[in-house]
Amino acid sequence: MIATYLVRAVRSELAKLSWRSSLWYAVVPLAVIIPLGINFGIAKATESNALNGAGGMDTNNAAYWILVFSSFILMAGGVTSLCAEFKDQTVETVFGIQTRRWLLPVAKLIVFGAIAAVTAFVTTFVVLWGFPHLFPEIWGRVEVFSSEGIQLLIGAPLYTLLIAALGLGLSALVPKPGFVVMIVLLWKFGVEVFVTFVPGDLGVTLQQLSPFKNGELGVGQLATIESLFGQNGSLAYFAAVCLAIFAFGTIRLSLTDTKGY
């Protein structure tokens, strides 16, 4: 019975995604174009000796711009959708039709998480397969079907899906899209960068416990920290943080009067 309700909720979310949605003409295109454009620009500059290529690209560093840009851009799709339910006051109607409130964020995670994961997979494959053909002297060491390449093809979509869950969990707690995006980016590019300046063993430990650094390491991206958990453990740690926040937000949404938001 619950499965039936969940399928209905997912269908409802899909029905809301018309071709006029910004997800299709802004979010997804930008998530693909930005990492491809940056990689292309750097490769062209390196090829013309405008930049020192430092020996060329390696497979375990090829998805860097996807993890840095695409994942957070795609997160915005789900965040905007859930927050819009509160802004447009449609959330009361949704909960009036379906009293199981947890279905709303879960259905959005299934829909927007799947779109984000597929987009990340396609973008990662294009980068790993296409750029070695376009720039063989610079990207020649990158192999899409190597062990590192397969790790990225699996890890990048999973990483993006988990960030979508993180964003939806925060949106359920505070349905303000700008605030949610700011919090996530502040943690990734503010707090986790700041702890690198903390001296001594404390600074090293804080870096090793940084969720996003562990997530990137678990994906197969070139490590910037020495993991406390191993590669798979690092990804599991990142997943636990993201899913815990999603679960907390979903539970609070289920128990709180929505008029109080």
Side-chain angles (χ1 to χ4, degrees):
M1 184 64 70
I2 293 297
T4 301
Y5 292 135
L6 181 58
V7 169
R8 290 175 181 173
V10 170
R11 287 177 176 174
S12 176
E13 291 304 319
L14 290 171
K16 297 173 187 177
L17 281 177
S18 71
W19 287 105
R20 293 179 294 178
S21 171
S22 61
L23 181 75
W24 304 121
Y25 65 79
V27 175
V28 170
L30 287 174
V32 175
I33 291 170
I34 288 178
L36 293 182
I38 292 175
N39 279 318
F40 184 83
I42 293 174
K44 288 296 290 183
T46 304
E47 191 177 54
S48 64
N49 294 321
L51 291 176
N52 182 355
M57 181 64 70
D58 291 305
T59 305
N60 64 358
N61 200 32
Y64 177 76
W65 298 114
I66 298 171
L67 301 180
V68 169
F69 286 107
S70 299
S71 55
F72 298 103
I73 293 171
L74 291 164
M75 177 196 74
V79 167
T80 301
S81 178
L82 183 55
C83 292
E85 300 280 4
F86 294 88
K87 179 182 178 182
D88 299 335
Q89 298 182 340
T90 56
V91 68
E92 295 292 343
T93 303
V94 173
F95 291 158
I97 296 171
Q98 174 52 262
T99 57
R100 296 172 177 82
R101 295 184 176 188
W102 62 268
L103 286 172
L104 179 63
V106 170
K108 287 188 183 293
L109 177 58
I110 292 173
V111 172
F112 288 93
I115 293 171
V118 170
T119 303
F121 175 84
V122 171
T123 307
T124 303
F125 181 83
V126 170
V127 167
L128 295 179
W129 177 81
F131 277 79
H133 288 82
L134 286 173
F135 305 100
E137 293 185 0
I138 303 166
W139 283 70
R141 295 200 301 268
V142 175
E143 298 181 12
V144 63
F145 296 117
S146 64
S147 59
E148 293 90 350
I150 296 298
Q151 179 76 22
L152 288 175
L153 285 174
I154 297 172
L158 181 56
Y159 178 85
T160 305
L161 173 63
L162 291 171
I163 289 181
L166 172 64
L168 285 168
L170 291 173
S171 298
L173 293 170
V174 185
K176 305 290 183 183
F179 182 77
V180 170
V181 173
M182 181 193 73
I183 289 297
V184 175
L185 294 182
L186 180 62
W187 187 269
K188 170 68 173 76
F189 299 105
V191 174
E192 292 200 0
V193 172
F194 172 77
V195 299
T196 62
F197 297 101
V198 177
D201 292 340
L202 175 61
V204 173
T205 302
L206 290 175
Q207 290 183 60
Q208 291 174 324
L209 293 175
S210 296
F212 289 105
K213 287 185 181 295
N214 276 277
E216 292 171 357
L217 188 155
V219 163
Q221 175 65 21
L222 185 66
T224 59
I225 61 171
E226 184 177 341
S227 174
L228 292 174
F229 316 104
Q231 186 177 61
N232 293 333
S234 292
L235 188 58
Y237 169 69
F238 180 66
V241 172
C242 293
L243 294 177
I245 293 174
F246 176 76
F248 181 66
T250 300
I251 292 170
R252 185 173 183 272
L253 179 63
S254 300
L255 301 177
T256 304
D257 183 0
T258 56
K259 294 180 180 179
Y261 279 87

